Amino acid sequence: MDLPKHRPTPTTSLRDASDSSTGSWDALEWTKIEPIARFVSPANLDFLLDDEQVVAEGHGVVLVNTDDAGVLIVTNFRLIFLSEGTRKVIALGTIPLATIEKFNKTAVKVQSNTHQSDKTPTQRLLQVIGKDMRIIVFGFRPRTKQRRAIYDALLKCTKPPVLWDLYAFTSGPSSFKNTSPMVRLLDEYFRLIGKASHRASMDMIESGSFTLSNDLWRISSVNSSYTMCQSYPFALVVPKSISDDEVLQACKFRARCRLPVISWCHPVTGAVLARSSQPLVGLMMNMRSNMDEKLVAALCSNRDGSRRKLYIADARPRKNALANGAMGGGSESSSNYFQSEIIFFGIDNIHAMRESFVRLREFMDTHGRTSSDGMSSFLRHGGSIWGGGNLSSMSASVSTLGDSGWLLHVQNVLAGAAWIAARVAMEKASVLVHCSDGWDRTSQLVSLANLLLDPYYRTFRGFQALVEKDWLAFGHPFSDRVGTPSISGSGNMSFELPRQQSSTSIIPSSPMRQPSGTFVSQPPVSSHAHNSNNYSPIFLQWADCVSQLLRMYPFAFEFSAAFLVDFLDCMLSSRFGNFFFNSEKERLQCNVFESCGCLWAYLADRRTSEGSSTHAHCNPFYDPLKYSGPLLPPAAALAPTIWPQFHLRWACPEEAQGGELEAQCRKIILKNSEMQKAKEVAERKAREYTIAMESLNAELRREKLLNISSMNTAKRITKENTDIKRAIRSIGCKIHISSSGDCIVDIENNPVEARPNLYCSSRQGSRQGSRQGSRQGSSSALINDKKDLSVSVTEDDDDDDDDGNNVIGRICESLCPFRTGDGGCRWPNGGCAQLGSQFVGLKANFDAFDQLSIDDSYFKPK
């Protein structure tokens, strides 16, 4: 829930007295408070949850704690206080109905200095005491009957006659559907015995095929119908050497048949952490059970057949254990259990915890900023406590916190759990933990020891598995201890919740601390549907212990203190059905899993929708590698302090901001995450640019190589053309080059008679290109080297073939590098015109010519 905003301490307010006032709220000028609109428009009810309905409204109501005036609304789920000016929900004055522990009406007759006391109006107050450390007081205008309407609505909605009228059932599972916790329990059992590869299902449960085992332990279905023990789960982990028949015999020796079963086993050493209830040894402490002793001895088994040491940790003081012997209970004798040692932790019972919690809540309300009597702690006792020089008063106020005993109880529970974890982790011993019934102090110690031993339980999923295993499945009576809905009666299930009122007295709370008028109060009405003598904040105390461990080891937990607070608020509100009733059997009977929403799904949805990594439930300092093993705090470190996020959030909202450092750290993490994403985007773009540049550079290098190759080719062609021209000129030819690149070669064969013309063209082209001469006495000669250079020479002559052969002969003698001195040919396969050509003109075998290298020595420059 949101924390209430702190209002500065008023110098003059609605509590100002008409004359000299002592500063208390007894001089409220109610007649000056004008009521606002007579009804709240449905259009302004956007703060209501799904299926939440308004039952009653009160207007012109004053929240005495903070001097806020507004509208008080009772719905089928909450008591809501709206501010008069802003119409916003005031968190301090808004509380779920199931979180209300008690409420009562109080009438105050204001004493006046005048003699007209009969005309002084009576102040009508409604005090609401919450299970979450707050005490709220509402003031109503006289003669309006609004307080009666609100009070009756609270009576009706806090204890409906029919179970299905509760908000958790009327709202249904909605979007927070609940999977079966029985399936999740089996999955946790599979993990503990090393069978995590198996996945549980309802079909497996219905068929009974979940009885897996390892070398030492097995999952038993002996309690699948809850006939052996109604407060135990349907599946139990027991030693493999113990049969189901022996389990049934051993359970008779333990209170409520809660026999020793395994809660956690070490995956390497095989040491176990077991739980049970007290043995029924009787008044003389001489009763024994062979089956119970055999079962306990099996907890000490080793894989090599040897026996490990066994510690039996009795959570009670020794005198309490002995006193239970008068009722048939008691404690074990070490002489009856082989290699065992009995340890008493001295943790007080549920009644001592309840009284301690009430005193702590009273201290917070008395000395907080927003006290329920409307007076600031700075002004109490004339302002002499804090800075007025009255050190004795200051010491008295501090000693009140110590007198509550709450922190001492928390320290005892932490010390016991740390001792158990050290025995299992360091000595490799097995530990059996029990108290009287095995569902209060035993659940505290075993679950805390599991949290210290196994880092999996320090994650979100592991914490859920731990609560569902050691608290819900093993039958912590949440209906009796917290006041969640219960099934009244025994044996037959009844869906009627009794409308009984509790006459249990409470410690006088503020408005009664400094009375300046006459008080007429009615007995407080408890919101519990059971005997209030069974109420005790056992689970809340365990959550306080977890917060102390989180403070000591901030890097070891995935979740934060804010998660613990929201988790407790959801549990106390009864908005979801996870913590209804006293046992797994009762929840199964009422089909809670399908009829109500799931608390775990709701919390997970909040983390997902609001950003899982930076959500307030996530611990920004979590480092799973730093604390991958057990946590073993020394005794000197077990010095608990007030849990500010929970204990101080209503009385001292500014001082309760213990999560501000975490919030700032989350902002830094979020900013760092955004910068990291921006960095990744920039790096990705830089890589793309680098690849593009490399591609361009490679293309540029290829173009450069092509350019160099082309230039070399051009130079070579130029050189060869020059050589060819020189060779042609050496045989008396004249070359005329046109603008198109063609050239005319004039050859003087017979200067007197004729001047044959040769047409010569030089081009870069196909190696097998040729020019075919005319059949009317024209002859062709083609010179083609391996460099794709084609030279065509054409002779236009009207003389006979003999003259043409003489000309060709002169050309061959001058140009052909294969001509021998005696007129022979070094290349007879060339098929040139001089050696048997079938055509008039020049013809060469280009394929053979291509396979040879022209003698470059012929083309040497002059």
Side-chain angles (χ1 to χ4, degrees), residues 319 325 463 760:
K319 60 179 182 180
F463 185 80
C760 177

Side-chain angles (χ1 to χ4, degrees), residues 12-76:
T12 59
S13 65
L14 295 174
R15 294 187 297 272
D16 293 343
S18 58
D19 50 344
S20 59
S21 172
T22 59
S24 62
W25 46 263
D26 55 357
L28 282 167
E29 299 183 50
W30 301 101
T31 56
K32 295 184 179 180
I33 302 176
E34 295 296 334
I36 56 179
R38 299 302 301 169
F39 62 91
V40 179
S41 172
N44 298 327
L45 298 180
D46 53 351
F47 53 84
L48 294 180
L49 303 174
D50 295 339
D51 298 309
E52 188 177 8
Q53 301 174 356
V54 176
V55 179
E57 298 178 13
H59 304 273
V61 181
V62 175
L63 178 59
V64 177
N65 303 60
T66 58
D67 278 345
D68 286 312
V71 182
L72 187 62
I73 302 175
V74 178
T75 71
N76 58 339

